[in-house]
Amino acid sequence: MRKLLLSTLLLSLLTGCGSDDTNDQPDEPVTPDPEKSKYLTLDIKPEAKFEGTFNVYLGRYADPVKAWLQSDEAYHQGDHTHDKMETGQYYAVDERDAQLAGIVNEPETAIIVDAAKMHQLLMTNPDGLGAGSARGDIFVTGHYSVFDALRYLALTRNDIKLDNIINYDESGRDTYEFTLSWDCNGDGEFNDTDNISTDPGDTYGCAVNYSNHKSQDWHFRSQFENGEFAKARGSLNGVGPQGEGNYERMDQFWIKSGMNIRFQSFSPEMTARRHWVQDREMARLTQNSGKVIVPTFTAVKSYSEAPIVIKDLEVTAHNMRSDIFQQGVITKMDVFLSAADTGLDIAFNYWPTLSTGAQVGSFALFRVDGIASDVGRGWATLYGEMATQGDFSRDSQCAFSTPTGGGQELVVDPEHCRRDWQSRFGGNILHLMSDVWVMNQPVEFVTTAIKDHYKTWGMPEYPGKDRVERDFSNNEDGSDIMTLQVFPLPDETESAVLKPSHFGWDIADCTECHNEQKDPDGHGGYSWPINSSDGFDETQPYYCATCHGNNGAPKAHGETARCFWCHDSEQNRPEHHGDSSTQRIYEGDEIRSNTHIYNHPNEIAALPRDKMGNFKEYDKLWSSVNSDWDMSKVFPDPYSCMTCHQNP
């Protein structure tokens, strides 16, 4: 995941070149940085809008790739084209083998919902459940839940019908409950034949053992658009074509533009498990007289020292997303902010649109007790019931009746377990940002711990904290090794340090004006200084800054790695940063991440895949010179960034 290094959202850069004579120009007053929330590293107030479109899919997806990967044929396959050892929960084969066996996931057609049309209809309160969202107590006008999307489908389509609707304040679980009928076979009738497949090979869509007529077992899966980032996709990850399963309340789950929602019938056992989880949360809320109290909050800084533990943490609303939620609505982010209110060092950064094109637009946990994330190594989170921690995994056995499984009187059909629970993500672990994850009922535990993704994603670190060497040669043959380091800046009182009166104040690339065409000898007859001791042979503005200061570069906000993840998007790409302000096409051998990925063959989550979860190599990418595929010699990320944009 990727974060801002500097507040380009607030940065206004000057352009043009002028006289070098700065002695007779008065200094311009420097505007102080705006006061920001004590919980944030940046003064950012998001303004999310319900606009554009989102995608809806109806019915279970067959996912033949997942079925094949879990089959005896795949598990005992002996002739591999790549060396992959079976370790832990990982299977001996992956999507590459599925393709060789002729197994692929075919694309399906989405129902594309226009946000403006949905808003226009629901504001008329056509079904009596509320003008706008059916949960006006949670969402501000103009924002909606997944349940609202289901309402819209039932109002505008002939093949979906909602009946027996129980209001959220009457269900006992603070959520709407209903029965749903889907005219799965398309005969124009809602009846039991919708439960019977017309295709003997189809055991998912119009499925035997799954109810599509007056069913209480319909719920949803979700998936957020992640742009061109393909390494996390996969059926056994839960973020493939099916989407992530969950125990969430449908009418409290926020719809984000561009997301994918799948409405489907789950097994009766899944419905029972979801109700069991929600009942425990409601009981906890009642026990604490309506207060949201999390029994155990834990922060694990390392596995060699005792964790930080806060018992019975009362969580209060901090209203950080007033653009989406009503005042007083509690989110998962509020758990951490409430921990901060007890004295624990907590800080959040902001993730905008990322370099992949993924529009995140959320606050992200950045620092806990002095330990800050450096993007590829950061704070992972878990929320939920202790008994459900192992519910979703590749080898889940759905042993819910055991003491560790909660002692629930529930026996799950093995095939239902495979289809509904056997995936790496879901339940306690969702790809959902904490500031938009509603938690008006207390979960049993919240845990955050440092996790390293560098090897998983197959990328070198370059954390910016230490001197490192990089081979810039095309073949990485050791012929072009240079040292990367962050330089200290001179004292601001030194005479050579540039002042706001400098004609190029705020322009990062000195060579736009100071170059071979203008005063080519420079420095009173001497050549421009080159950091040759580190192996470089080009003028680098951040090396110039070691004598002349940072030329007005704004402060950073704690990040120490991979600035391009947030600053290589159309909205946040910095100007006047040389080749770091531009993009180019990378293809063929220039895309080296595949090589790095295959150096870790057991980490099958790192394989690049298409949106249906089929193996697909990156073949062409439009990217910044600072990226996972390359690094600028003139503005190397993060070393040049951290030199000029120093952390407070």
Side-chain angles (χ1 to χ4, degrees), residues 268-287:
E269 298 98 316
M270 172 63 85
T271 303
R273 187 64 165 175
R274 184 174 66 253
H275 287 172
W276 182 82
V277 169
Q278 294 178 1
D279 288 343
R280 286 172 64 86
E281 294 172 351
M282 294 302 294
R284 204 170 287 123
L285 187 69
T286 300
Q287 180 181 351

Side-chain angles (χ1 to χ4, degrees), residues 48 130 360 569 572 622 626:
V360 181
S569 65
N572 298 322
W622 182 253
N626 280 321

Side-chain angles (χ1 to χ4, degrees), residues 68-69 77 81-84 93-102 597-598 600-602 604 607-608 614-616:
W68 186 85
L69 289 174
Q77 182 168 297
T81 59
H82 51 277
D83 182 21
K84 180 179 282 292
V93 295
D94 57 38
E95 287 84 350
R96 290 173 286 181
D97 301 290
Q99 284 191 359
L100 290 173
I597 287 171
Y598 298 156
H600 306 281
N602 289 326
I604 64 175
L607 286 178
N614 304 304
F615 171 65
K616 184 179 185 298

